[in-house]
Amino acid sequence: MKKRWSVVALSAMMMAAAAMCCEASPKQTENTEAAAAWAAETEAAAADTALPSKDPAGNEITVPEKVDKIISMAPSVTRLLIDLGISDKLVGVDTYSEQYYGDELPENLPAYDMMQPDNESIVSLKPDIVFTTGMSSSGGTDVYAAVRAAGICTADIPSASSLDEIGESITFVGDCTGTQAKAEAISRDYSSAVADIKKIGDGIPKEERKSVLYEISTPTSDSPAIYSAGKDTYITEAITDIGAVSLTADQEDAWPSISEEAAIAMNPDVILTTDNYTKDVVDTLLSLTGWENVTAVKNKDVYYIDANLLNQPNQHVVSAMIDMAKDIYPEAYAGMEDPFAQ
């Protein structure tokens, strides 16, 4: 990935120069003008970047030269667009985006079911681009066929299978929306934080690495199965990178279903959950009948991780990784700071 100067850094330099403008010497004024010119050149270079010809799913797309109206049908993309500072360009979102980020979005945005979107309504909004998630086509049907047929650029971003793919999707969205410099700065900070976390994780001796059971759903009498993250998922990679051992890393299914008996037999040192449907989920897990002798329960090493951070593949996965790392290895990660803390 080519390096570009961060717009944030350039803006900070320009603001500092502006703060001294009242008493600026000719030399300082010259430097300020140079900084402004430098920033303009950086933005111009970003604008000259070629628009993507394919989306991350491999579909050929034609991205408009100017994108002013966006529909996001994935909460992970919606969060990224907010962080890129272009949420005001949104003219429609999915219902989860509305639920999670409604307070940060323009008022009265149409919200659509990502699995059964209203194509006619979407087309009527005349968006320049629609960002979709691979989850929408998980049933094998292109639920946006009519939107594509109307000539609207529809860019599909499959759920990332690796941490690297998350960084690539950030860059892709930036390239599509004319925010290349900001997106690249976010991607760079994300990749740097992942590398820093992995460096610490790699340094944890193998004999001290804790086994982790990650769960999306908590077992109940009506639904005793536990859903987790299996092989070839960025969540399993994240757990491994912090220096832990995922007990479901060998599962072939990306989101395997595990019986309660099998989960108990795994005897995890730590249980991580993103179940935000069960009330007081940590206390519930600690009080499950039959789990009394599980190491994580006995030691009360059961932790809730914000589902919006871990389950949405964007830069905030780093925030979830840091939370997990500090829960499992508080001393090793004591000095780790979150570059995307909100």
Side-chain angles (χ1 to χ4, degrees), residues 199-221:
K199 184 176 180 180
I200 295 174
D202 287 346
I204 295 173
K206 289 187 177 180
E207 65 274 12
E208 295 178 14
R209 297 187 179 189
K210 296 185 179 181
S211 61
V212 172
L213 173 62
Y214 164 70
E215 62 132 56
I216 303 168
S217 59
T218 303
T220 65
S221 56

Side-chain angles (χ1 to χ4, degrees), residues 75-90:
S76 57
V77 175
T78 302
R79 177 72 259 172
L80 175 57
L81 294 172
I82 292 170
D83 291 354
L84 287 171
I86 54 173
S87 60
D88 59 321
K89 293 187 177 184
L90 283 164

Side-chain angles (χ1 to χ4, degrees), residues 234-296:
Y234 72 85
I235 292 178
T236 293
E237 183 181 359
I239 292 171
T240 302
D241 279 2
I242 65 176
V245 178
S246 171
L247 292 171
T248 56
D250 61 345
Q251 297 286 322
E252 290 296 329
D253 290 341
W255 310 108
S257 173
I258 302 166
S259 70
E260 188 173 5
E261 292 77 13
I264 292 171
M266 289 177 177
N267 192 27
D269 296 318
V270 177
I271 297 174
L272 300 176
T273 180
T274 52
D275 177 359
N276 53 7
Y277 294 99
T278 300
K279 185 178 180 181
D280 300 323
V281 64
V282 170
D283 289 338
T284 298
L285 285 165
L286 289 171
S287 60
L288 286 175
T289 301
W291 290 67
E292 299 86 356
N293 294 319
V294 172
T295 300

